[in-house]
Amino acid sequence: MTEQLVNVHDLVGRCPFATSQKLLAGKWSLLIMHELAEGPVRFRELERRLHPITQATLTRALRQLEDDGLVHREVYGTIPPKVEYSLTEVGAGFKTVLASLETWGNQYIDYMKAAGRM
């Protein structure tokens, strides 16, 4: 029997883990989703909160999350222009995942401290 290698990209849209991994693959994706979980945030405020992220990196990450349907970009017709980012309905469903990640992350931090690794 020959074993066929499966390309992870072929599983996107069929496997929930591969799909989630693809959506959150960016270095900043989780942190951006975390910052938007509490409500709309303006670009400069996001940039400040995520320091040392660069403007170009934040723009690229937000565009990808917007293209994936997780983030909504609202442009207000003011001078100077005001742009706010928020989670879409499907993006807001990620809040429970963020809460679970926070719980697990804190448990792991405790483990690392107890093991003398921090």
Side-chain angles (χ1 to χ4, degrees):
M1 175 189 278
T2 352
E3 194 175 308
Q4 245 182 341
L5 292 177
V6 177
N7 184 339
V8 171
H9 297 292
D10 293 340
L11 295 175
V12 173
R14 295 186 302 148
C15 170
F17 296 102
T19 302
S20 299
Q21 181 182 21
K22 185 252 179 215
L23 290 172
L24 301 169
K27 176 181 176 180
W28 296 95
S29 298
L30 280 174
L31 293 172
I32 291 169
M33 298 285 287
H34 167 72
E35 291 299 332
L36 297 179
E38 296 302 315
V41 180
R42 292 179 71 172
F43 183 88
R44 292 287 178 225
E45 178 61 18
L46 261 178
E47 188 177 28
R48 186 187 67 72
R49 291 181 190 181
L50 296 172
H51 181 73
I53 194 170
T54 65
Q55 182 177 348
T57 299
L58 180 56
T59 298
R60 191 171 32 257
L62 285 167
R63 282 185 185 149
Q64 185 61 57
L65 290 168
E66 187 179 3
D67 288 346
D68 291 335
L70 301 174
V71 169
H72 172 72
R73 180 177 186 259
E74 183 73 32
V75 180
Y76 297 91
T78 61
I79 297 179
K82 176 182 171 184
V83 179
E84 282 186 340
Y85 293 89
S86 60
L87 296 179
T88 62
E89 186 176 338
V90 71
F94 194 69
K95 288 180 185 181
T96 57
V97 177
L98 288 168
S100 294
L101 284 170
E102 180 180 24
T103 298
W104 183 83
N106 282 326
Q107 290 170 346
Y108 192 77
I109 289 168
D110 291 344
Y111 160 78
M112 295 291 287
K113 288 178 181 175
R117 296 182 181 179
M118 288 183 77

